[in-house]
Amino acid sequence: SLKLENKTKGKHRKQICQIVLDHFEERYATELGDTWASVRDVLTNPLCWQHAILLNKFSQSTELENTLCVKGYHPAFQGNLPYLPASFKCYIRRTPGRFPAQKHQAGKLKQYYLLNAASLLPVLALEVKDGEDVLDLCAAPGGKSVAILQCACPGQFHCFEYEDLRSRWLEQTIESFIPYPLINLITVSKLDGRQIGDLKPELYDKVLVDAPCSNDRSWLFSSDTQQVMLRLTKRKELPALQFQLLRSAIKALRPGGSLVYSTCTLSKAENSDVINLILNSCSNVIPVDISEMAKAVSLEFTFLSGTQQHELLVLPEKGRAWGPMYLAKLKKM
């Protein structure tokens, strides 16, 4: 445990990239106003970051749950959530720190997945039911795919990831958490998400678009200046890609089906601006109110005020250092 602690401290000593922080200051001070100062304090201090523990229902352990309770963890989601399957269990605690990760072992299922608790909100907003055909459009590294399968057993479950390395990562994640024969229902493909709508029109009941985005947390600690400058340029191109992925996802949805779009950035250009563009250009989709879900989890998550009813933006703050995570829900008519 001492070795793990030293390794963790080493990670925490990563240097903040001043170029990125200056870019954030310029952009987010305007977009978030007074809220930005407290968000910045969390993003720039990994020692106050928290990690949630999503239990794997396919490898249940009462002993693990007891251990978590002894260590001060409690369920992240409870009470009046509109959608919360009994099999979906996630534990968090207010104090910072990271539970030990489990290594991938061929043929052996992991008991839990470590993640940012806010990344589970898009899955709960999607409300997958047994037998529904589901598409996870940008699936790697696979945490949300695993979370969906904790909720329900889809009829078909297609996970797409365009990049080779990330696709292999996704496959390994699914192998680590999902048993046979259920794993046979899951198809992992390396197709470009922008093509899915034309290749598989009106095939799915539910679609998750966890889009490629700026990823504010990791970007802030970039060490390669040349790479940082390249990402600054590419950041301007992301909204166009996100729009194309969303439009493709809408084509892949059956009429009456629903879609959740999510990112892990605070950027208005990559979040609400993309959704507004879709709503203004696609007459066959309507926004879905998810404000009740926000009310039900307001003790554990901090949300940006003033957003529309179909969208949420989780803001990290000390003691509730989850996010950033943006999500919006749409329905196809």
Side-chain angles (χ1 to χ4, degrees):
S1 61
L2 182 61
K3 196 173 181 182
L4 176 71
E5 190 177 331
N6 288 336
K7 189 177 178 184
T8 306
K9 282 180 180 174
K11 286 182 180 177
H12 289 164
R13 280 197 288 267
K14 277 187 176 180
Q15 291 296 307
I16 292 166
C17 179
Q18 193 61 46
I19 298 170
V20 177
L21 184 57
D22 290 345
H23 177 73
F24 284 179
E25 288 282 1
E26 182 183 350
R27 184 65 55 90
Y28 295 151
T30 303
E31 292 183 6
L32 301 177
D34 295 339
T35 313
W36 166 237
S38 59
V39 171
R40 180 190 57 213
D41 287 348
V42 174
L43 290 181
T44 55
N45 182 16
L47 286 170
C48 72
W49 293 3
Q50 297 156 265
H51 294 83
I53 300 167
L54 175 67
L55 301 192
N56 185 10
K57 72 177 183 181
F58 305 111
S59 180
Q60 287 183 334
S61 169
T62 306
E63 184 183 345
L64 174 59
E65 288 197 65
N66 291 338
T67 300
L68 290 173
C69 291
V70 168
K71 288 181 175 291
Y73 285 86
H74 62 274
F77 305 101
Q78 48 195 328
N80 300 318
L81 266 166
Y83 171 85
L84 184 63
S87 56
F88 187 87
K89 294 182 179 180
C90 176
Y91 283 84
I92 59 173
R93 64 179 180 181
R94 287 293 172 91
T95 52
R98 185 185 179 105
F99 207 67
Q102 292 180 312
K103 289 183 179 178
H104 172 74
Q105 297 180 55
K108 187 174 182 181
L109 295 181
K110 292 184 180 182
Q111 292 181 306
Y112 55 86
Y113 191 103
L114 299 179
L115 76 181
N116 186 318
S119 67
L120 296 173
L121 293 174
V123 172
L124 294 175
L126 196 59
E127 301 188 30
V128 175
K129 309 285 195 306
D130 287 345
E132 289 183 326
D133 295 324
V134 181
L135 168 62
D136 189 350
L137 192 63
C138 312
K144 292 182 178 67
S145 299
V146 167
I148 286 169
L149 291 163
Q150 303 304 311
C151 295
C153 181
Q156 295 182 74
F157 189 31
H158 291 175
C159 301
F160 288 89
E161 182 53 57
Y162 184 57
E163 294 179 12
D164 275 341
L165 185 63
R166 289 176 61 82
S167 183
R168 288 197 297 274
W169 189 4
L170 170 62
E171 287 175 343
Q172 189 178 88
T173 300
I174 290 171
E175 276 178 34
S176 292
F177 286 91
I178 310 304
Y180 291 96
L182 181 60
I183 202 168
N184 294 327
L185 298 176
I186 305 164
T187 303
V188 176
S189 300
K190 288 191 287 187
L191 292 172
D192 187 331
R194 291 170 290 188
Q195 301 171 353
I196 304 304
D198 291 326
L199 294 171
K200 299 178 181 293
E202 299 191 350
L203 189 64
Y204 303 100
D205 301 296
K206 301 284 170 67
V207 178
L208 176 63
V209 183
D210 187 42
C213 70
S214 295
N215 194 339
D216 294 348
R217 279 201 194 215
S218 66
W219 193 18
L220 193 53
F221 292 89
S222 302
S223 55
D224 186 331
T225 304
Q226 191 174 355
Q227 194 69 25
V228 165
M229 298 310 293
L230 182 64
R231 285 190 70 176
L232 274 171
T233 303
K234 285 191 172 293
R235 191 177 208 209
K236 297 171 185 174
E237 300 168 7
L238 279 169
L241 170 63
Q242 292 155 346
F243 175 79
Q244 289 164 355
L245 288 168
L246 262 176
R247 197 165 53 181
S248 175
I250 290 164
K251 287 181 183 178
L253 261 184
R254 290 179 178 134
S258 54
L259 172 155
V260 170
Y261 172 78
S262 62
T263 74
C264 51
T265 178
L266 298 162
S267 170
K268 180 174 174 288
E270 297 177 48
N271 294 338
S272 55
D273 286 356
V274 173
I275 291 297
N276 288 338
L277 186 58
I278 280 288
L279 288 171
N280 290 332
S281 59
C282 299
S283 59
N284 59 341
V285 290
I286 58 169
V288 177
D289 187 349
I290 52 174
S291 57
E292 285 304 311
M293 185 176 82
K295 288 178 192 171
V297 297
S298 59
L299 286 177
E300 303 294 352
F301 298 90
T302 303
F303 297 100
L304 178 68
S305 60
T307 56
Q308 299 180 81
Q309 289 185 322
H310 60 273
E311 60 179 356
L312 302 172
L313 178 58
V314 180
L315 302 175
E317 68 170 29
K318 285 179 182 173
R320 299 191 289 187
W322 313 116
M325 179 60 57
Y326 174 84
L327 59 147
K329 186 169 184 178
L330 308 174
K331 183 177 180 179
K332 186 172 182 177
M333 303 305 291

